[in-house]
């Protein structure tokens, strides 16, 4: 469906036929995205079994701008669980990604929560979970700022506005800083997902602010001190009813 916005054409990429492809990350001449392993889930066929789980895929860009046939990432990243949104560090050597994992709560009950993991894109070592991720809550949709010094993500950890909120944490040579909730200018009592900062603007999805319905895409300006202001709803054809 080619659509032109101020001289820029927006069109659908059929990367894996009729299978859904989402959470794209462009790095170098490659596109990283999430897609079902084999089959698209439906209301008639609930998301059960390996065939309906999601993996991370990589497609190389051709000279004409199109993308080649996608390949599933290695087993250090894609597992028997579900993988979701991902990002890469500044030199594209480390991939950070969401993975659904099973664990045991402090009370001894079984839990199935999303966690954020990292490993080398070259698939040298097993993926490891980030140190601030806990078993009792969800942590997903990691994304770096342009300089690679801040990692954004979504979580339903305590202390937020409700549901899944957008958080960020600084990254230094010595490790991770203090995890920070971005507050009510960004987060609602519902869910905020897939944060991405580009050139001083934070883009993310939310179903908690007035919009077209469901998950809409919003942007905010980020000032030099890291504070967010002026939340804006992205309009058609980026977001439609």
């Amino acid at each position: 469906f080619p659509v032109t916005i101020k001289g820029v054409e927006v069109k659908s990429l059929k990367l894996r036929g009729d299978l859904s492809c989402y959470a794209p990350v462009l790095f170098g001449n490659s596109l990283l995205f999430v897609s079902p392993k084999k089959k698209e889930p439906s209301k008639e066929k609930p998301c059960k079994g390996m065939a309906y789980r999601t993996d991370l895929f990589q497609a190389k860009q051709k000279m004409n701008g199109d993308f080649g046939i996608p390949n599933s990432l290695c087993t250090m990243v894609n597992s028997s669980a579900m993988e979701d949104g991902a990002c890469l560090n500044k030199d594209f050597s480390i991939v950070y990604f969401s993975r659904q994992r099973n664990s045991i709560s402090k009370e001894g009950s079984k839990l199935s929560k999303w966690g954020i993991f990292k490993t080398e894109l070259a698939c040298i070592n097993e993926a490891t979970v980030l140190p601030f991720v806990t078993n009792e809550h969800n942590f997903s949709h990691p994304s770096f700022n342009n300089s690679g010094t801040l990692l954004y993500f979504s979580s339903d950890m305590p202390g937020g506005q409700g549901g899944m909120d957008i958080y960020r944490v600084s990254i230094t040579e010595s490790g991770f800083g203090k995890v920070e909730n971005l507050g009510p200018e960004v987060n609602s009592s519902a869910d905020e997902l897939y944060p991405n900062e580009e050139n001083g603007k934070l883009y993310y999805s939310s179903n908690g602010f007035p919009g077209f319905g469901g998950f809409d895409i919003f942007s905010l300006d980020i000032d030099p001190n890291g504070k967010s202001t002026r939340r804006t709803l992205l309009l058609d054809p980026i977001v439609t009813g």
Side-chain angles (χ1 to χ4, degrees), residues 168 180-182 186 200 220-229:
R168 68 183 171 198
E180 175 189 4
N181 184 288
L182 268 61
V186 174
L220 296 100
D221 294 325
I222 305 293
D223 69 22
N225 296 319
K227 299 299 182 182
S228 55
T229 58

Side-chain angles (χ1 to χ4, degrees), residues 141-145 150-153 166-168 182 195 197 202:
H141 311 147
S143 175
F144 282 104
N145 63 345
L150 290 172
L151 182 70
Y152 291 87
F153 61 93
I166 305 295
Y167 289 80
R168 68 183 171 198
L182 268 61
E197 184 189 329
L202 177 68

Side-chain angles (χ1 to χ4, degrees), residues 141 152-155 164-168 180-183 186-187 192-196 202-205:
H141 311 147
Y152 291 87
F153 61 93
S154 298
S155 178
M164 295 287 286
D165 277 5
I166 305 295
Y167 289 80
R168 68 183 171 198
E180 175 189 4
N181 184 288
L182 268 61
V186 174
N187 297 308
E192 282 69 46
L193 308 172
Y194 295 107
N196 185 63
L202 177 68
Y203 299 88
Y204 66 101
S205 301

Side-chain angles (χ1 to χ4, degrees), residues 21-41:
C21 301
Y22 60 96
V25 176
L26 188 64
F27 67 102
N29 65 340
S30 293
L31 185 70
L32 187 67
F33 62 94
V34 183
S35 187
K37 291 179 185 287
K38 295 181 180 179
K39 298 179 181 179
E40 193 76 32

Side-chain angles (χ1 to χ4, degrees), residues 1-238:
F1 58 93
V3 179
T4 300
I5 312 173
K6 295 182 179 179
V8 177
E9 185 180 56
V10 178
K11 63 180 181 179
S12 175
L13 298 178
K14 294 294 184 181
L15 296 169
R16 300 191 66 223
D18 292 332
L19 292 175
S20 60
C21 301
Y22 60 96
V25 176
L26 188 64
F27 67 102
N29 65 340
S30 293
L31 185 70
L32 187 67
F33 62 94
V34 183
S35 187
K37 291 179 185 287
K38 295 181 180 179
K39 298 179 181 179
E40 193 76 32
S42 66
K43 293 181 180 179
E44 293 74 25
K45 296 180 179 180
C47 207
K48 294 181 179 179
M50 284 286 294
Y52 295 100
R53 296 179 182 271
T54 52
D55 270 353
L56 287 164
F57 290 81
Q58 180 180 352
K60 295 291 184 67
Q61 194 167 25
K62 302 176 182 178
M63 293 295 291
N64 64 2
D66 294 332
F67 288 91
I69 298 173
N71 293 311
S72 175
L73 294 191
C74 69
T75 55
M76 300 296 186
V77 177
N78 291 325
S79 66
S80 59
M82 294 182 71
E83 279 70 39
D84 201 67
C87 65
L88 293 106
N89 64 343
K90 198 170 183 179
D91 64 6
F92 307 145
S93 61
I94 307 294
V95 57
Y96 291 70
F97 62 96
S98 310
R99 175 185 287 171
Q100 197 171 39
R101 59 193 183 130
N102 296 318
S103 60
I104 303 298
S105 71
K106 295 178 181 178
E107 292 75 26
S109 59
K110 292 183 178 180
L111 296 173
S112 181
K113 300 290 185 180
W114 288 94
I116 300 176
F117 291 72
K118 72 172 184 175
T119 190
E120 299 88 352
L121 188 60
C123 296
I124 300 171
N125 298 302
E126 293 289 341
T128 57
V129 67
L130 299 193
F132 54 80
V133 172
T134 62
N135 291 338
E136 291 78 18
H137 302 96
N138 291 293
F139 296 78
S140 60
H141 311 147
S143 175
F144 282 104
N145 63 345
N146 290 128
S147 63
T149 58
L150 290 172
L151 182 70
Y152 291 87
F153 61 93
S154 298
S155 178
D156 58 359
M157 72 173 78
Q161 308 301 312
M164 295 287 286
D165 277 5
I166 305 295
Y167 289 80
R168 68 183 171 198
V169 60
S170 62
I171 299 180
T172 65
E173 293 182 358
S174 60
F176 295 91
K178 183 180 178 181
V179 172
E180 175 189 4
N181 184 288
L182 268 61
E185 285 297 324
V186 174
N187 297 308
S188 70
S189 59
D191 294 321
E192 282 69 46
L193 308 172
Y194 295 107
N196 185 63
E197 184 189 329
E198 289 290 338
N199 301 319
K201 284 187 177 291
L202 177 68
Y203 299 88
Y204 66 101
S205 301
S206 174
N207 62 355
F209 296 108
F212 293 100
F215 278 96
D216 290 323
I217 300 176
F218 294 85
S219 71
L220 296 100
D221 294 325
I222 305 293
D223 69 22
N225 296 319
K227 299 299 182 182
S228 55
T229 58
R230 294 172 52 193
R231 182 178 62 249
T232 301
L233 171 68
L234 271 63
L235 304 177
D236 177 78
I238 300 299

